């Protein structure tokens, strides 16, 4: 827990200490309310405390708690929007006021760094295509175009090809192709 404490205090300041002191009680209250069984702590996480748990129906899950309730609420919202893609974990329950959510656990498979490099562009492309295929909800307030359009002219020279390669990548549908 010390690594998690150091990260959260480094990110949120000394006031995170008080929040961290309340985490065991908060986790126990949520477990009683939602009926899950708490498990061990994950030592990762830049903005939250994450605990393995088991949902009442036996589903392996994780409890994610954050002092940044607004960030956690946005994460819940985005996961629910992209749920239709089938490429994000399911939100089993959430409590914005508590800064809490329970997600189905994503069990690690082969990490990208351990996969054949030649297969990665296609797999990343398939993931992005699945996420982009999800239509935003009606009157969706978030739009990244204004945030990224100024960067497009600067990125025209970028390439995902290996250094020294003469290949250049260009947008294509539904994935990025390199020539």
């Amino acid at each position: 827990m010390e690594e998690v404490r150091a990260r959260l205090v480094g990110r949120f300041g000394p006031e995170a200490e008080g929040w961290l002191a309340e985490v065991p009680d908060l986790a126990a209250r949520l477990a009683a309310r939602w009926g899950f069984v708490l498990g061990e702590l994950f030592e990762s996480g830049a903005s939250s405390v994450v605990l393995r748990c088991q949902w009442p129906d036996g589903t392996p899950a994780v409890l994610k708690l954050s002092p940044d309730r607004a960030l956690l609420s946005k994460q819940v919202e985005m996961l629910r929007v992209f749920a239709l893609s089938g490429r994000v974990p399911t939100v089993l329950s959430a409590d914005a006021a508590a800064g809490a959510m329970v997600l189905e656990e994503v069990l690690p498979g082969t990490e990208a760094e351990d996969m054949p490099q030649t297969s990665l562009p296609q797999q990343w492309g398939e993931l992005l295509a699945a996420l982009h295929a999800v239509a935003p909800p009606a009157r969706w307030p978030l739009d990244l175009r204004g945030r990224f359009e100024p960067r497009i002219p600067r990125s025209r020279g970028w390439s995902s090809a290996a250094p020294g390669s003469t290949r250049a990548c260009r947008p294509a549908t539904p994935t990025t192709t390199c020539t």
Side-chain angles (χ1 to χ4, degrees):
M1 182 70 167
E2 285 309 310
E3 286 182 34
V4 173
R5 179 180 309 284
R7 273 196 300 277
L8 293 179
V9 169
R11 177 166 182 166
F12 297 112
E15 56 274 4
E17 290 283 356
W19 179 84
L20 284 162
E22 296 173 14
V23 163
D25 288 338
L26 175 59
R29 284 194 315 271
L30 292 168
R33 185 169 106 197
W34 290 332
F36 61 83
V37 177
L38 280 169
E40 70 272 8
L41 175 74
F42 281 92
E43 289 293 332
S44 61
S47 62
S48 60
V49 171
V50 181
L51 298 156
R52 184 171 270 123
C53 60
Q54 185 174 21
W55 201 238
D57 66 2
T59 301
V62 294
L63 171 64
K64 184 173 183 177
L65 305 168
S66 179
D68 189 341
R69 291 169 178 85
L71 173 65
L72 192 101
S73 291
K74 286 294 180 194
Q75 291 173 351
V76 168
E77 184 178 16
M78 295 307 296
L79 287 168
R80 287 181 170 157
V81 166
F82 287 118
L84 294 173
S85 74
R87 303 295 295 257
V88 299
T90 301
V91 176
L92 300 172
S93 196
D95 182 333
M101 74 169 134
V102 178
L103 307 160
E104 69 175 333
E105 184 176 1
V106 176
L107 300 174
T110 305
E111 293 188 20
E113 60 198 31
D114 297 330
M115 298 175 75
Q117 294 298 304
T118 55
S119 70
L120 290 178
Q122 179 174 345
Q123 291 189 42
W124 286 118
E126 289 168 359
L127 171 63
L128 291 173
L131 295 175
H132 282 274
V134 175
R139 294 183 288 285
W140 184 246
L142 304 175
D143 186 346
L144 296 178
R145 283 179 291 188
R147 185 173 177 188
F148 289 102
E149 283 177 347
R151 293 181 173 102
I152 291 172
R154 293 190 317 216
S155 67
R156 294 207 192 280
W158 292 359
S159 170
S160 65
S165 171
T166 58
R167 295 185 318 149
C169 292
R170 64 184 186 289
T173 304
T175 63
T176 299
T177 60
C178 296
T179 58

